[in-house]
Amino acid sequence: MVYDRKVQEYAGKIAGECGVTASLGIDAGEAGKNLETVAGICRFLMSCGADRDALLLAVGGGTVTDVAGLAAALYKRGISVAFVPTTLLSMVDAAYGGKNGVNLDCYKNMVGTFLQPEFVYRDISCLATLPRREFLSGAAELLKTFLIGDASLYAEAVDVLSRPDIDWRHLDELVGQAVAIKLRIVNADPYDNGERHKLNLGHTFAHAIEWYEHQRGVECPLTHGEAVAIGIIQSASLCNESLAGRLRFDFRACGLPVDLPYPLDELMPAMENDKKNGEGEIRFVLIHDIADITY
Ligand code: GLY
């Protein structure tokens, strides 16, 4: 098992229940989402004598599932992986769909592969202690998924997320529905050659903002989901100002940022290097209306 040190106690409980034979704590977060961490996990697997029928269980948020997924895909040319996501972002997005990856020289997810998890175990009670901004980060991905796939679930999610007290049971249902939408898209296009691009709504701007903040050493950077929320508004502004206005209102009500925090021309170098690009053009996923997305 590989787990985020921040959830050591919870990971210990899971390890006991699953009969885990060896475990490695790592520090989650973008700073450790690199090939060195992947090498560390592979060394850990070697030290355990893990062979090709081993299963690597990852407990933590998106950066943990991303590095563990890549290590599992590479170790001895591939072993099985399974996830216990502990953040809203990983419950909605990162743990599902088989994408893994690490950053390279400040560029997000530049090295990675596809490996579908054997299973994902979701326990919404983990979220009760999640820091507010981490929760909001996942909330943005939840809203993104409904903006891609279902207008009435989008409105329902805004209602749940904008209340001062979260209805956890209702949120759990919504997360399950978002996962179903994501998996429908992934099953139609597992290797991200077309339809799956829709899941990158807001991400061209988001990755550029994250790259910019990393380059500048910004002290209190936006979370991934906060950057995605801003990116979705930017994308909507490109084709439907009235939709952009509605999304601004909704996202603010949920506690998400909506304004581009840096001049567009300073974000351009990162957008030009985005791995979604092709044929020398920057590729955006556009939202014309809810559930009307082009790429
Ligand atoms: N997070 C986007 C995807 O899984 O394709």
Side-chain angles (χ1 to χ4, degrees):
M1 180 173 83
V2 175
Y3 64 92
D4 175 358
R5 286 202 179 97
K6 286 201 284 297
V7 296
Q8 182 159 10
E9 204 176 309
Y10 182 72
K13 191 178 126 218
I14 296 287
E17 283 167 10
C18 298
V20 164
T21 50
S23 59
L24 172 73
I26 61 172
D27 293 317
E30 287 299 314
K33 196 173 147 176
N34 53 43
L35 286 168
E36 225 6 86
T37 304
V38 171
I41 297 171
C42 291
R43 286 190 194 101
F44 159 70
L45 290 166
M46 274 171 70
S47 73
C48 305
D51 52 29
R52 292 199 63 199
D53 57 14
L55 179 131
L56 180 63
L57 182 65
V59 181
T63 55
V64 174
T65 57
D66 275 2
V67 293
L70 184 54
L74 297 176
Y75 180 72
K76 295 196 174 175
R77 298 205 178 85
I79 61 170
S80 301
V81 73
F83 299 135
V84 180
T86 58
T87 63
L88 181 56
L89 187 133
S90 53
M91 286 181 194
V92 170
D93 190 44
Y96 294 92
K99 274 189 186 173
N100 54 55
V102 295
N103 306 331
L104 190 67
D105 300 339
C106 302
Y107 293 102
K108 292 266 300 176
N109 301 330
M110 205 40 88
V111 179
T113 179
F114 292 91
L115 176 66
Q116 297 297 338
E118 292 296 312
F119 65 85
V120 178
Y121 171 69
R122 183 175 84 245
D123 173 3
I124 205 88
S125 74
C126 288
L127 303 186
T129 53
L130 193 66
R132 171 82 180 147
R133 286 190 59 212
E134 286 305 319
F135 179 82
L136 286 174
S137 184
E141 291 282 3
L142 184 74
L143 293 170
K144 176 208 78 176
T145 309
F146 293 141
L147 284 172
I148 294 167
D150 193 307
S152 74
L153 287 172
Y154 169 74
E156 207 175 307
V158 170
D159 185 46
V160 168
L161 294 169
S162 57
R163 288 175 190 270
D165 290 315
I166 296 293
D167 177 342
W168 295 108
R169 191 198 48 78
H170 197 167
L171 182 66
D172 194 28
E173 270 172 37
L174 287 168
V175 171
Q177 279 150 331
V179 167
I181 291 173
K182 172 159 185 179
L183 291 181
R184 256 201 316 273
I185 295 170
V186 168
N187 289 338
D189 176 23
Y191 296 109
D192 205 6
N193 292 316
E195 182 75 4
R196 188 166 177 171
H197 295 348
K198 289 181 178 177
L199 292 169
N200 287 324
L201 176 63
H203 282 64
T204 301
F205 283 103
H207 287 164
I209 293 168
E210 289 174 291
W211 166 85
Y212 181 86
E213 292 191 330
H214 189 93
Q215 290 277 88
R216 299 270 162 141
V218 169
E219 211 171 292
C220 188
L222 291 167
T223 63
H224 176 66
E226 287 172 332
V228 167
I230 294 167
I232 292 172
I233 306 280
Q234 288 295 317
S235 171
S237 302
L238 292 172
C239 36
N240 182 341
E241 255 315 322
S242 109
L243 175 70
R246 174 178 170 192
L247 300 186
R248 265 198 194 92
F249 182 85
D250 290 346
F251 286 12
R252 270 206 194 100
C254 296
L256 288 163
V258 295
D259 296 317
L260 199 61
Y262 309 108
L264 196 54
D265 58 340
E266 295 191 31
L267 301 177
M268 285 308 283
M271 293 206 251
E272 281 157 4
N273 266 304
D274 195 280
K275 66 183 180 326
K276 296 183 289 301
N277 294 343
E279 293 159 18
E281 293 172 336
I282 299 178
R283 295 213 173 139
F284 289 103
V285 179
L286 295 174
I287 177 161
H288 305 271
D289 207 340
I290 301 181
D292 180 6
I293 312 286
T294 55
Y295 50 85

